[in-house]
Amino acid sequence: FRRVLFRSPPASPSAEEIAALTRLAHDGRFRALDAALAARGFRARLSAHILQYPPEYTGLLAAAASGLGRARGDAEDGTPVVRALDGALAPALLARLQACFAHGGPFWAGTGYDKGDVGYFSFVHSLDHPGPRTVLDEVIARVRALAVPLFPAAAQASHAEWWAHNRPHHKGHQLHFDSDDEGQGGVRSPVVSAVVVLSAAGGPTLVTDQPHGAPRLARHGWLAYPKVNRVILFDGRFLHGVIPGRAGQDSGRRRVTLMVALWRDIRVQGTLRKDGIGAARRFPAPGEKGAPAWCAAFTRGAGGAEGNGAAAGPGPVAAPVVPVCPVWEAVGAANGATPGRNGLGPPGNGALPRYEECFQGL
């Protein structure tokens, strides 16, 4: 998993049990779900607004009007937490990127991602070189250009780190914090993190208002739905993840995404040639001796003219994010239990549950 800074549960439910529990949520059977979760020692779960998320835009205006959060994706003090933009990449650049990360393509096999046991790996690009050398440099430049007006600190970034995922509809990604070297030696977060959607499937991205070290669980959150050529930008300090895709909405497509983190500074952990696949490897220059064969697909011009990444057709359009509040509910809330009886306390107070006591549908 990507940078999870919590220990794993000593005896987590089986994949079959998790699937059955998540199906209860998808069917709206929260009384039965809470009873089953309580029997397994869970103290909190993601709220019904999240686990049983609606199709994109359905109920959006009603949710905003009923006070479920801030529809712009802002924190309580008005600073931006998350934004979504449609039409982010020029059509030719998008098509080239989709070809580079096509399911069954050389990237997934060459990196070992297809085997499922390679662990987390990522690549780092300096932002100081004079021009884009690879398709990824061009995408990174575009993401940074989109981020700066919304998150001005992105202008101070010196490096970009990227990684990618290719998952079936029902697979989410557990809540986590992004951190340099997966949190070793302390948490150091990027200025901005971004999700570039290449294939729309699966559940929405959830971004919360919980920074690392907070004394309480997140209260406010925002759902950003997957849509091709949508870029989701958010403050890299905050807890986030991907909600499992709802049963009955599986089109057979896979959720393919490219993640980009903009850093003021990040420690490059080695090179592919010397150190192999791993976190924060320097991405090789085009034609670099010893670079894996799959890297060649990312060379600019190798797959056709991708055009100027800064020119994205008519320009990006702001897409709504769906506010959700609360993010968490006490196990038993569906059966009339008060939050205090389940150890969560009133909003912003009470004992903080352990990570393994919080059900995410994963």
Side-chain angles (χ1 to χ4, degrees), residues 31-247:
R31 289 180 179 272
L33 173 62
D34 280 2
L37 292 177
R40 290 166 172 80
F42 287 96
R43 292 173 55 206
R45 59 166 168 77
L46 289 173
S47 71
H49 300 301
I50 296 173
L51 289 174
Q52 198 185 22
Y53 65 86
E56 184 171 12
Y57 306 133
T58 298
L60 173 62
L61 296 178
S66 62
L68 291 180
R70 295 165 294 279
R72 276 178 52 83
D74 292 342
E76 290 181 331
D77 62 3
T79 58
V81 175
V82 58
R83 295 287 191 270
L85 298 170
D86 286 342
L89 304 181
L93 181 58
L94 172 66
R96 179 69 191 284
L97 199 61
Q98 289 173 319
C100 288
F101 290 107
H103 179 59
F107 172 79
W108 308 109
T111 58
Y113 186 100
D114 282 348
K115 298 177 182 178
D117 58 359
V118 69
Y120 170 72
F121 61 91
S122 66
F123 304 94
V124 176
H125 296 237
S126 171
L127 300 180
D128 294 334
H129 54 74
R133 300 177 299 175
T134 69
V135 174
L136 292 162
D137 289 316
E138 195 165 353
V139 173
I140 288 166
R142 178 60 177 166
V143 168
R144 188 186 189 192
L146 294 173
V148 168
L150 303 171
F151 301 90
Q156 303 170 17
S158 66
H159 291 79
E161 180 188 20
W162 67 267
W163 60 103
H165 285 303
N166 178 2
R167 291 176 170 160
H169 171 82
H170 68 278
K171 290 284 188 182
H173 193 134
Q174 67 193 94
L175 292 168
H176 61 281
F177 298 99
D178 290 349
S179 179
D180 183 9
D181 197 19
E182 300 188 86
Q184 300 299 317
V187 177
R188 297 172 300 279
S189 298
V191 176
V192 174
S193 292
V195 180
V196 182
V197 182
L198 302 179
S199 178
T205 296
L206 169 66
V207 181
T208 78
D209 64 354
Q210 181 179 338
H212 184 261
R216 63 171 178 82
L217 294 178
R219 177 163 174 76
H220 292 281
W222 298 267
L223 298 175
Y225 286 76
K227 181 179 180 181
V228 173
N229 206 13
R230 174 171 291 173
V231 170
I232 304 160
L233 301 155
F234 58 93
D235 187 320
R237 297 173 298 162
F238 291 109
L239 187 73
H240 60 281
V242 179
I243 306 306
R246 286 187 58 176

Side-chain angles (χ1 to χ4, degrees), residues 295-348:
C295 294
F298 294 91
T299 301
R300 294 186 78 230
E306 49 272 357
N308 182 357
V317 177
V321 292
V322 180
V324 287
C325 180
V327 172
W328 298 98
E329 292 175 330
V331 167
N335 296 308
T338 63
R341 286 176 54 195
N342 290 274
L344 297 183

